[in-house]
Amino acid sequence: MKTTITSFLLLLALLIATPVFAQFEGQVQYRILNVDSGVTEQTDLNMVFTSERIFIGSSNSLNVMSGLSTNGILVRNDEQDFVFNTAEDEAFKIAKYDIDRLVELMNRVSGKAENDQKQNFDWDNRVEETGRTQQLHGFTVREFVLKEDSKDRHVSVWLTDEIKVNWGLLNDAWHTTGKKQLEQDLPVELIMNPNSFPLLIEGFNGDQRVFKAEALSVNSRDFDRSLTELSPNVTLLGLSDLMMSMFRQKR
């Protein structure tokens, strides 16, 4: 379950190429609580969407890969790249194409094989629309239940079709690279698609809720658009700098 939700968060940051009508521009603030390990872990996410860019800021450092941790990711669909904040005045700028090559290189170095032959997700038997609805932040949301391999575990996803987001490069990176790293296919399209948006996700083990990702606010008016722009004071590092950092940590 945690892998499913983490894929949604980090990469929350995944659909490209299809036209998106009534593109949502605004800010969504999330609070994520995970008690599956017996200890409550809290992460706050700040997501800002504009027509061509997505910013995902995190209260906790996110480990993207060996040698690269960040507390903020800027997805620039117009520039076809990702910017990973690593310090107040420093960030790595990596093109989408270079990320694919970098992951392939790291897999070769570590001897890890891509899972091209993994089992496809069984949508018919593992996803159910319950018919339940509720109002969250003025939006109507519908419940979909994702059934886990264990009969005692399931995930409840509440989606609204009143918020539409173009996930752009995030979706592209997931389909070309991300999902090949996992043993099984994940229903990412249930959460990240151009026609609906999740405002509440809850994971259950029996009757006990062990995970909750909840939108605390949705703001489409006076949000901070500057988060989707680079400060002139930030020094941008490139792919070669990232590779040097990664290999230094492997020594």
Side-chain angles (χ1 to χ4, degrees), residues 70-85:
T70 181
N71 63 0
I73 303 172
L74 176 59
V75 184
R76 303 195 299 180
N77 294 319
D78 53 334
E79 299 286 347
Q80 290 290 293
D81 63 20
F82 299 83
V83 178
F84 301 92
N85 297 336

Side-chain angles (χ1 to χ4, degrees), residues 227-244:
L227 291 173
T228 62
E229 301 294 335
L230 289 179
S231 168
N233 299 323
V234 171
T235 299
L236 286 179
L237 305 177
L239 178 62
S240 59
D241 301 298
L242 176 57
M243 293 181 67
M244 289 295 295

Side-chain angles (χ1 to χ4, degrees), residues 2 7 20 45 73-74 80 139-140 152 171 178 183 185-186 192 216-217 231-232 242:
K2 189 172 181 180
S7 297
V20 177
L45 292 181
I73 303 172
L74 176 59
Q80 290 290 293
F139 299 96
T140 300
D152 294 330
N171 176 76
E183 294 296 332
D185 199 4
L186 298 176
M192 300 202 310
L216 300 181
S217 65
S231 168
L242 176 57

Side-chain angles (χ1 to χ4, degrees), residues 68-118:
L68 178 57
S69 296
T70 181
N71 63 0
I73 303 172
L74 176 59
V75 184
R76 303 195 299 180
N77 294 319
D78 53 334
E79 299 286 347
Q80 290 290 293
D81 63 20
F82 299 83
V83 178
F84 301 92
N85 297 336
T86 53
E88 185 176 349
D89 58 353
E90 183 180 274
F92 285 101
K93 183 184 75 169
I94 312 296
K96 159 61 177 61
Y97 172 72
D98 286 331
I99 285 184
D100 293 341
R101 290 194 303 157
L102 182 60
V103 172
E104 289 176 1
L105 174 61
M106 295 305 296
N107 284 345
R108 292 194 190 102
V109 171
S110 63
K112 179 180 178 181
E114 294 180 345
N115 294 296
D116 291 321
Q117 303 301 321
K118 62 179 174 292

